[in-house]
Amino acid sequence: MKNSLKEYNIKLGESVESAFLNKIDIYQDGTVPMCRDENGKLWAISGHSHMGHIGMFCGDCVENLTEAHPISTDFSVGAAGKAFANIHYPEYVKSRGSVWPFGLYICPNTHRFFCFFHNETGWNGQGTAYDALGSCETPRYDSDFRHVGLMHSDDEGKTWFFDRWVLTGEKLCCTDRYIPEDQNLVGQHGDEVNLGSGDFSLFVEPDGEYMYIFYNVIKVDVKKGEWNGCDVYVARTRKRTDGVMGDFVKYYNGSFCEAGNLGRETVIARSEWHPRVLYSRTLGEYVMASAAVMPNRPLAETIGDYLHLRTSKNLVDWSEPITVERDGKKFGNHYNAIVSGATTEQPNIADDEFLFLTCHNGTDVLLTKAKIEKK
């Protein structure tokens, strides 16, 4: 499938500081989720729960966002048996670890904030963390298991309540090497381990009836200590305006037909890390920003830390990627978000001008203006 951006030149400005910076105790680790409310305010949530703090940001546009307040949760994070109100993962294993906010939706009628967050079993377990090989302090080969959780707030993100786990991999979050809490489960066999559903972003259709989670599934060879693959998948739910959130359905074998928790899933884009989607009115197509993945290498070389862009007409069939250069070098970083700089629309829809937000693990988020021009 042809990449429509090949017909355009992509011009980049200089990279400057965004609102999401270490100096204000924000250590962003992923792409920053954003949503504009029914009153026209743009909101963002940034940070994660075991380094610095998580903050709510507000403004007219991305360039003038400022922190409105830090968040708090009515549930704990960290140790299994206490974290997330002791609501277990769908595999019956006790949930544990941290909150990485990666998706934000604001109900236009109730003003209820919904936040979708990434979670891993190998970080911030406070003595209960584990990966594919067993108990750990930090995960070996990044081989811990991912889930996507949901929380909500009725005070503009000051206080959050845990709802449930909304995305879980088809393969269980345990292996024949280690099954937490001696659960009566059949763990994954062999050296290749599927790490579940996570590392995602949320895309809300501007005019359609659905919202989509674009997420990664990592497959790691725990014997070699290498990733065999890291690909993009998608799940969706209908948009609601009554203050509740529906369940997600995974895309599998040509249709959205499998359960968000434990359902099967089909790859929609190969070898991409942390996908983020925007609708381009100039192209009349969707654009996916991500970081390049190069599997079967030493782990430190697996993610290229530069930008990939793909295009699509329907959100499930994606072109091959292109790279973007500035001053003769590949542009981008470990995490690459494409967002609108407008003051009146949702941040996932743009014309010929838009922004890239880039960062690495826990680093300052830099903002770069971009424009596409027909060749």
Side-chain angles (χ1 to χ4, degrees):
M1 180 178 172
K2 181 181 178 181
N3 192 316
S4 297
L5 285 169
K6 288 185 176 181
E7 298 178 3
Y8 290 80
N9 293 314
I10 302 175
K11 296 188 175 181
L12 300 176
E14 294 300 314
S15 297
V16 299
E17 290 184 345
S18 71
F20 316 112
L21 303 171
N22 293 175
K23 67 184 180 184
I24 63 168
D25 199 39
I26 294 292
Y27 295 85
Q28 181 61 29
D29 193 15
T31 65
V32 179
M34 302 177 185
C35 187
R36 195 176 296 277
D37 71 16
E38 71 279 7
N39 301 312
K41 291 182 179 179
L42 180 66
W43 293 88
I45 181 169
S46 183
H48 62 286
S49 63
H50 68 273
M51 177 179 284
H53 73 281
I54 301 173
M56 294 299 306
F57 293 73
C58 189
D60 298 318
C61 63
V62 175
E63 291 182 82
N64 68 18
L65 288 170
T66 57
E67 187 171 7
H69 43 258
I71 78 158
S72 63
T73 62
D74 86 322
F75 58 91
S76 65
V77 297
K82 297 179 180 179
F84 305 105
N86 199 24
I87 296 174
H88 295 194
Y89 299 129
E91 302 98 319
Y92 303 107
V93 171
K94 291 180 180 180
S95 58
R96 66 205 72 202
S98 284
V99 165
W100 283 266
F102 288 164
L104 182 65
Y105 176 72
I106 302 171
C107 177
N109 287 335
T110 67
H111 201 59
R112 173 168 281 180
F113 286 34
F114 292 94
C115 177
F116 299 90
F117 63 87
H118 172 83
N119 169 262
E120 297 185 24
T121 63
W123 293 97
N124 190 32
Q126 297 176 0
T128 66
Y130 75 95
D131 59 21
L133 297 171
S135 298
C136 67
E137 290 296 322
T138 58
R140 288 150 288 201
Y141 323 127
D142 220 3
S143 71
D144 57 337
F145 297 94
R146 278 86 164 146
H147 295 82
V148 177
L150 174 66
M151 59 185 183
H152 76 271
S153 171
D154 288 320
D155 56 7
E156 297 186 329
K158 295 185 181 73
T159 310
W160 293 88
F161 300 86
F162 180 67
D163 293 339
R164 64 189 189 273
W165 301 104
V166 298
L167 274 189
T168 303
E170 179 195 3
K171 304 293 185 180
L172 301 191
C173 61
C174 56
T175 68
D176 53 6
R177 295 172 172 86
Y178 183 75
I179 297 178
E181 298 113 37
D182 294 322
Q183 288 282 349
N184 185 19
L185 301 171
V186 178
Q188 297 184 49
H189 293 283
D191 293 332
E192 182 177 274
V193 178
N194 181 312
L195 300 182
S197 305
D199 303 293
F200 68 95
S201 67
L202 180 72
F203 177 79
V204 181
E205 285 186 318
D207 301 313
E209 61 177 321
Y210 292 99
M211 63 178 70
Y212 296 79
I213 289 179
F214 290 89
Y215 63 99
N216 279 140
V217 174
I218 300 165
K219 296 176 182 177
V220 62
D221 186 320
V222 293
K223 186 174 183 180
K224 295 181 179 179
E226 298 175 351
W227 288 9
N228 288 344
C230 176
D231 304 315
V232 179
Y233 301 75
V234 65
R236 75 181 185 186
T237 189
R238 280 191 304 112
K239 289 190 287 188
R240 301 182 64 103
T241 58
D242 54 4
V244 301
M245 183 62 62
D247 288 334
F248 278 78
V249 179
K250 291 178 178 178
Y251 181 77
Y252 172 70
N253 200 23
S255 66
F256 288 91
C257 61
E258 285 282 322
N261 285 318
L262 301 172
R264 295 171 293 182
E265 51 224 336
T266 294
V267 176
I268 61 168
R270 294 277 181 195
S271 298
E272 303 290 2
W273 171 244
H274 266 255
R276 180 75 172 253
V277 174
L278 172 141
Y279 180 72
S280 167
R281 280 186 296 233
T282 300
L283 297 177
E285 296 186 30
Y286 304 94
V287 179
M288 177 190 292
S290 55
V293 174
M294 294 162 287
N296 304 119
R297 298 190 181 197
L299 192 59
E301 302 173 11
T302 299
I303 298 174
D305 293 351
Y306 59 85
L307 174 68
H308 265 180
L309 293 175
R310 295 174 183 252
T311 59
S312 172
K313 295 182 183 297
N314 61 9
L315 293 172
V316 294
D317 298 305
W318 290 90
S319 72
E320 289 304 305
I322 64 168
T323 58
V324 180
E325 291 191 353
R326 184 174 60 187
D327 300 328
K329 297 180 181 180
K330 290 180 179 177
F331 170 80
N333 207 329
H334 202 69
Y335 303 111
N336 302 289
I338 182 171
V339 299
S340 169
T343 59
T344 58
E345 294 184 302
Q346 290 296 345
N348 60 1
I349 181 170
D351 293 309
D352 60 339
E353 296 184 358
F354 48 90
L355 308 172
F356 289 116
L357 296 176
T358 58
C359 67
H360 211 285
N361 294 319
T363 66
D364 291 345
V365 178
L366 299 182
L367 182 155
T368 307
K369 291 184 178 181
K371 184 175 182 178
I372 56 174
E373 295 179 348
K374 194 81 170 181
K375 291 181 178 177

